[in-house]
Amino acid sequence: LWSKQYNLYAKIDTEAARYLGFERWWGGHVNLNAEEIQFIVDELFVGNNLAAGRVRLSDGSAVDLRSIHSPIVVFCSKGDNITPPQQALGWILDLYEDVDEIRSYGQTIVYTVHETVGHLGIFVSSGVARKEHGEFSSNIDLIDVLPPGLYEAVFEAKSDETPNADLVSGDWVMRCEARTLDDIRAFGGNDAADERRFATAARVSERNLAFYRTFVRPVVRMVPPAVSELMRELHPLRLQYALCSDESPLMAPVSAMAEQARKNRKPVASDNPLVAMQELVSRQVVVGLDFWRDMRDTWGEWMFLSVYGSPLLQAAVGVDTADTHPMRRAGKSQLHRAFVDTRIAELKSRMAAGGLREAGVRAMLYVGMPRAAVDERGIESLRRMHAASDSARKMTLAEFKAMVREQFFMLVIDEEAALAAIPGLLPKEPEARRKAFGMLREVLSAAGEIDGEVADRLRHMAGLFGIDAARTKDAKVIGLSSVRKIEGSKAS
């Protein structure tokens, strides 16, 4: 209501293009027919049936979000009062009992939570685009090779103190930290009382729709098409653009007035007292509008909780007021359970299959597990080693992704057996083992110092590799240091 227009007024020399670009996008209205909008409202907004697997296509097949095998990225913000994090991430709680179930479907879910940006700003804010969107797009490979599970993308500003800063592509270091369903529940909301309220709203909506179709729709269909088109053009969201367009006679003098204003422009200094007064008035207007907005939202929330939380209304529409079970829960498939059992048996039988690559990936996953995070610097170091290697047969990203998933599942299913099989996968030559262990150390140290349980696990892995970890620490290996030398010689 104020800030967007005032920002244009106060920065008229630089903001016009961005302002008009947003307005063209925001004013590009799309018409939906009755069936389309009714489906969206009934199935997604009010019914919220997508996560529960109750949305069916025209051929009768149900849409199951668990069937999505590509990584899922979720943007949300605490400043979004339309789709806050607990709503944007609530579908995960409807689908899964725990993270192990997410893994059983081979699904990777990555979410990021902004602290302040609003609903539209998540997608159109230039600040968000430079940070979150830019980092996600430049780290697609990182997301693609993550082991199945639930992660939160965390961003840290790159500085002179950032270890191995040359491995970071942008101004932020992206790290995907492992999360559990309890982290989503911690956002609040989505409890049993909320579920009953929304279920009540859905039942009331169904009855209102039945009344509308019986008594109102026949009257609406009697309106002539010309009148419908006139009503559409006179809608305030359309009319405000039409009145201010070049086609409006009221705007004819504006072009000449604007040109005259440009000729007589006399910008004032930023420390001008009138400019300071103008800023003060603007801030006061914003404070007043924010207060009104908060009061309006509080009243709206109180009304919703009171009306749809009423035991009388809930009983009237058939909602059990004492029910504490989830109102929406996706069904379980016995076929999926059988598939998982078969897959577990297959992975157990393949524990000792493979060679140095499988052993290296398994070791890297095992040693890095205590960190519960994957850093973009580790992936970048792997990429550089891959580019610098002279192997006759280089793995593709798809092959590497499949290997990471398989080795990760082996560790999850039976860690002891998976580790015991590593010595049998390694070559007999001590030099090849030292070289592989050195590369492992380089990748793990890309995100910072190796210490704590990670260091303990690395020493354990040195024993499995049959080498002296302390001696290998300073050994000459094809790792980050040599890759940097290679890149430096190419540049020179």
Side-chain angles (χ1 to χ4, degrees):
L1 295 178
W2 177 266
S3 298
K4 184 174 69 172
Q5 281 73 14
Y6 176 75
N7 187 59
L8 172 66
Y9 170 81
K11 304 174 184 177
I12 191 62
D13 296 308
T14 58
E15 286 296 302
R18 192 172 73 92
Y19 181 90
L20 290 175
F22 177 85
E23 291 303 313
R24 289 191 183 96
W25 172 77
W26 182 242
H29 305 297
V30 178
N31 288 327
L32 298 177
N33 61 38
E35 289 76 14
E36 290 170 330
I37 192 64
Q38 196 66 58
F39 181 90
I40 292 172
V41 171
D42 291 345
E43 300 294 342
L44 301 182
F45 291 154
V46 179
N48 199 14
N49 291 322
L50 181 60
R54 295 199 290 260
V55 173
R56 295 193 173 275
L57 304 180
S58 56
D59 61 359
S61 59
V63 178
D64 190 345
L65 297 180
R66 294 169 297 191
S67 299
I68 300 175
H69 298 298
S70 298
I72 299 174
V73 177
V74 185
F75 292 91
C76 51
S77 173
K78 295 178 181 178
D80 185 351
N81 63 346
I82 296 177
T83 311
Q86 53 265 52
Q87 182 179 353
L89 302 173
W91 60 274
I92 302 173
L93 301 178
D94 293 334
L95 284 176
Y96 301 107
E97 298 288 345
D98 50 37
V99 173
D100 284 338
E101 191 173 1
I102 297 178
R103 292 168 177 161
S104 74
Y105 281 89
Q107 198 164 63
T108 302
I109 304 172
V110 181
Y111 69 89
T112 183
V113 182
H114 198 280
E115 289 296 322
T116 58
V117 72
H119 183 71
L120 289 177
I122 294 174
F123 303 102
V124 300
S125 167
S126 58
V128 173
R130 286 192 301 269
K131 181 182 175 184
E132 278 87 345
H133 298 181
E135 289 299 324
F136 272 106
S137 61
S138 63
N139 285 290
I140 288 296
D141 290 347
L142 165 62
I143 297 173
D144 206 31
V145 300
L146 283 173
L150 178 65
Y151 302 88
E152 179 181 1
V154 179
F155 303 92
E156 293 181 358
K158 183 173 71 174
S159 66
D160 295 337
E161 288 74 34
T162 300
N164 299 314
D166 61 304
L167 297 174
V168 181
S169 58
D171 297 328
W172 300 85
V173 181
M174 177 175 169
R175 183 174 66 255
C176 293
E177 299 182 353
R179 295 289 185 260
T180 68
L181 299 193
D182 287 337
D183 293 300
I184 298 178
R185 296 187 182 100
F187 285 113
N190 299 323
D191 59 13
D194 279 338
E195 296 286 350
R196 289 195 298 271
R197 294 186 186 103
F198 284 112
T200 303
R203 301 282 179 87
V204 172
S205 177
E206 292 170 0
R207 285 155 177 76
N208 287 340
L209 178 60
F211 280 116
Y212 170 82
R213 286 174 171 169
T214 303
F215 300 109
V216 181
R217 185 162 65 179
V219 178
V220 172
R221 286 180 170 176
M222 294 171 60
V223 177
V227 176
S228 298
E229 182 63 26
L230 179 62
M231 294 173 63
R232 183 159 46 244
E233 293 300 325
L234 292 178
H235 191 284
L237 290 178
R238 293 179 181 273
L239 188 61
Q240 62 179 332
Y241 292 110
L243 291 177
C244 296
S245 71
D246 293 336
E247 299 177 358
S248 172
L250 299 175
M251 297 301 293
V254 172
S255 179
M257 295 168 61
E259 185 60 31
Q260 188 68 21
R262 292 189 189 97
K263 291 180 180 179
N264 297 308
R265 284 272 291 152
K266 294 180 180 179
V268 297
S270 58
D271 58 353
N272 187 290
L274 294 179
V275 174
M277 184 181 299
Q278 170 184 297
E279 289 289 334
L280 177 61
V281 171
S282 176
R283 288 194 294 269
Q284 292 301 318
V285 172
V286 170
V287 170
L289 288 173
D290 284 349
F291 177 75
W292 168 76
R293 177 202 60 201
D294 295 341
M295 293 294 293
R296 177 204 62 188
D297 290 353
T298 300
W299 179 83
E301 182 181 17
W302 177 82
M303 282 291 295
F304 179 87
L305 298 177
S306 300
V307 172
Y308 294 104
S310 167
L312 180 62
L313 180 60
Q314 291 181 358
V317 297
V319 174
D320 186 355
T321 58
D323 188 9
T324 59
H325 294 88
M327 305 296 289
R328 297 178 317 280
R329 179 67 71 187
K332 307 297 181 182
S333 171
Q334 292 300 320
L335 290 176
H336 175 71
R337 183 67 255 174
F339 166 78
V340 171
D341 292 340
T342 302
R343 180 63 173 152
I344 289 175
E346 177 190 353
L347 289 172
K348 285 183 175 181
S349 69
R350 289 174 49 81
M351 291 282 189
L356 178 59
R357 284 175 172 172
E358 286 76 9
V361 170
R362 192 181 303 179
M364 178 181 64
L365 292 170
Y366 168 74
V367 176
M369 276 182 175
R371 289 176 172 172
V374 180
D375 192 290
E376 68 169 284
R377 289 167 290 185
I379 298 299
E380 179 60 22
S381 67
L382 279 174
R383 183 186 291 112
R384 294 187 184 186
M385 289 180 186
H386 180 266
S389 69
D390 55 359
S391 174
R393 169 69 171 87
K394 291 186 177 182
M395 297 182 68
T396 65
L397 178 63
E399 291 172 335
F400 182 72
K401 176 181 177 180
M403 180 184 293
V404 168
R405 291 188 166 221
E406 185 169 272
Q407 299 304 316
F408 174 76
F409 281 135
M410 287 180 180
L411 288 168
V412 171
I413 292 169
D414 192 339
E415 183 179 286
E416 185 177 348
L419 295 179
I422 287 180
L425 303 177
L426 296 170
K428 298 185 181 302
E429 298 79 8
E431 181 60 27
R433 294 190 179 204
R434 281 196 296 271
K435 181 175 167 181
F437 187 81
M439 295 175 67
L440 172 63
R441 184 196 297 277
E442 291 275 13
V443 172
L444 292 169
S445 63
E449 196 67 29
I450 299 176
D451 52 16
E453 187 178 352
V454 176
D456 294 338
R457 290 190 174 210
L458 186 62
R459 283 190 290 270
H460 176 54
M461 199 53 55
L464 295 179
F465 273 61
I467 60 177
D468 184 351
R471 180 183 169 193
T472 309
K473 184 174 183 180
D474 299 320
K476 184 177 180 181
V477 296
I478 299 181
L480 295 184
S481 57
S482 54
V483 169
R484 291 178 183 128
K485 292 178 182 177
I486 292 171
E487 291 177 341
S489 62
K490 287 180 179 178
S492 61

